[in-house]
Amino acid sequence: LNSIRVDRLTAELTKAFDLVFLDNTVLEELSNSEKSVLENSIRLGLGAIISFDDFPEKGKTINQLLPLKTKRLTVDTVHIRFPESKLYTLPVLPIEIIPNAFIQSITLHKGRTLSGYVYSGFGKVGFQLLRETYRISLEGNAADYSSIWSDLIERTARAKNKMFKVKLGKSLPYYPDEPLSIEVISSGLQPSLYSKKNLIPLAEDVVIDDYWHGKSWADKTGWHQFFIQQDSTELNYFVSDKNEWRALRIAKQIKENELAQVSPDSHRDEMDASPEYQATTVSPLLFYLIFLLAAGFLWFAPKI
């Protein structure tokens, strides 16, 4: 990637980026107009990640962007292990961030937030307390280094506004020549959904507006893609060989069979097995005698 030199932070410049990295020293060196531009840009959707060089003092610009309550600790290292990796000992800023409802934690260690973000308007301001994380990459452990930063970067960067959302109606696995149910949520427009160069017909739901359904088939294994022409929305999915994921496929079939066991025929059988009651007729003479006895009792009872 080609680097560019930025002499001044402007509103036009911030529109060209989805995320900026700052530390509290650089943040304090910005002019008042640049700080105002940065704050306004974040409220309009820009993402920012701030690393602390030292314990933030009250009244600093960082406190305006990151309204966090903290307390100082004496321990400046942390022992952290990532999934299926070795144990690392990394320097960490010796502060503890007091949890509140506005903090979205990403990296947690024994209940302590090491990285996360807060919302600011439509944008987000993230923070990272771990220090010297580059050492993990220099040791050749790119996956562990990525796990420290990738989630924080992805969740803090400017969100893309899309007019459509595409998803598949069933979960993995997908196989060749089997129907794929496609669901599209629209923001008001009729989507033009393609697979390769083929237009996939969609029908709008009869009950829910802007909710579209369609079907497609993949002709071979490997990666495939659906895309919507209007705003370049994409959905990538992988089609497996029919001999793969056999255990998962069998488990899904068993679950579907269990749901299908309750059918109209089973309800009909239950009704057929219910007790039968046969109607019988009463003799008119017997009914008349019972009526006379009852009427005579009602007439004679008050005279006793």
Side-chain angles (χ1 to χ4, degrees):
L1 295 177
N2 296 326
S3 60
I4 59 173
R5 181 180 177 83
V6 177
D7 295 323
R8 186 170 179 271
L9 198 62
T10 63
E12 291 74 16
L13 185 63
T14 58
K15 292 178 181 178
F17 300 103
D18 295 328
L19 181 69
V20 294
F21 284 85
L22 300 162
D23 60 42
N24 55 332
T25 301
V26 172
L27 192 59
E28 295 302 330
E29 292 176 352
L30 296 177
S31 65
N32 291 334
S33 61
E34 289 176 314
K35 292 177 183 177
S36 178
V37 166
L38 179 62
E39 292 179 17
N40 291 332
S41 298
I42 292 173
R43 284 194 289 268
L44 292 175
L46 178 67
I49 295 179
I50 301 176
S51 61
F52 305 166
D53 293 330
D54 197 359
F55 187 83
E57 300 176 1
K58 292 183 179 180
K60 298 291 184 178
T61 306
I62 190 174
N63 299 118
Q64 301 175 16
L65 297 178
L66 276 174
L68 305 176
K69 292 184 178 181
T70 60
K71 66 178 181 180
R72 186 178 291 274
L73 301 176
T74 56
V75 180
D76 59 358
T77 59
V78 65
H79 303 284
I80 189 168
R81 186 191 301 274
F82 300 99
E84 300 180 1
S85 69
K86 68 175 188 177
L87 183 68
Y88 295 98
T89 301
L90 294 174
V92 64
L93 195 68
I95 63 172
E96 179 180 352
I97 296 175
I98 299 174
N100 63 57
F102 302 101
I103 300 173
Q104 306 296 318
S105 300
I106 295 179
T107 303
L108 287 167
H109 181 258
K110 296 182 179 179
R112 178 184 176 189
T113 299
L114 300 180
S115 70
Y117 62 91
V118 297
Y119 285 95
S120 178
F122 291 103
K124 303 169 189 173
V125 181
F127 57 89
Q128 175 67 268
L129 302 187
L130 292 173
R131 318 296 298 164
E132 300 180 15
T133 56
Y134 64 89
R135 288 164 28 191
I136 299 177
S137 180
L138 294 178
E139 293 175 5
N141 302 318
D144 293 340
Y145 180 75
S146 175
S147 65
I148 293 177
W149 287 100
S150 59
D151 201 16
L152 176 63
I153 292 173
E154 290 175 2
R155 295 174 63 178
T156 307
R158 188 196 305 269
K160 300 294 185 181
N161 293 323
K162 295 287 186 179
M163 294 185 293
F164 305 95
K165 182 179 181 180
V166 185
K167 66 177 183 177
L168 295 177
K170 72 170 191 174
S171 58
L172 286 168
Y174 311 121
Y175 295 106
D177 301 321
E178 290 189 357
L180 292 172
S181 298
I182 310 165
E183 301 172 2
V184 180
I185 300 175
S186 168
S187 61
L189 300 176
Q190 179 176 351
S192 298
L193 182 69
Y194 286 84
S195 177
K196 296 181 180 179
K197 294 182 180 180
N198 301 320
L199 178 65
I200 299 173
L202 298 174
E204 189 173 12
D205 194 276
V206 295
V207 177
I208 306 174
D209 292 336
D210 300 324
Y211 188 47
W212 300 78
H213 305 270
K215 282 186 181 288
S216 180
W217 288 262
D219 57 352
K220 60 182 179 180
T221 61
W223 283 102
H224 295 261
Q225 182 186 80
F226 295 116
F227 69 92
I228 294 180
Q229 191 176 48
Q230 286 98 323
D231 66 348
S232 301
T233 297
E234 298 177 355
L235 174 65
N236 298 297
Y237 65 99
F238 188 82
V239 176
S240 305
D241 187 88
K242 290 191 175 181
N243 294 323
E244 298 176 349
W245 300 94
R246 295 184 62 184
L248 179 59
R249 187 176 191 178
I250 292 172
K252 289 179 64 177
Q253 289 178 345
I254 292 174
K255 186 175 181 180
E256 291 173 358
N257 291 338
E258 290 175 350
L259 294 175
Q261 285 179 356
V262 180
S263 62
D265 293 336
S266 63
H267 288 293
R268 190 177 299 112
D269 294 339
E270 292 176 4
M271 294 175 64
D272 294 340
S274 61
E276 294 185 0
Y277 298 93
Q278 185 175 0
T280 58
T281 59
V282 179
S283 171
L285 179 59
L286 179 61
F287 178 78
Y288 182 67
L289 291 175
I290 294 174
F291 173 75
L292 287 177
L293 290 173
F297 175 78
L298 292 175
W299 175 80
F300 187 69
K303 300 181 182 299
I304 297 176

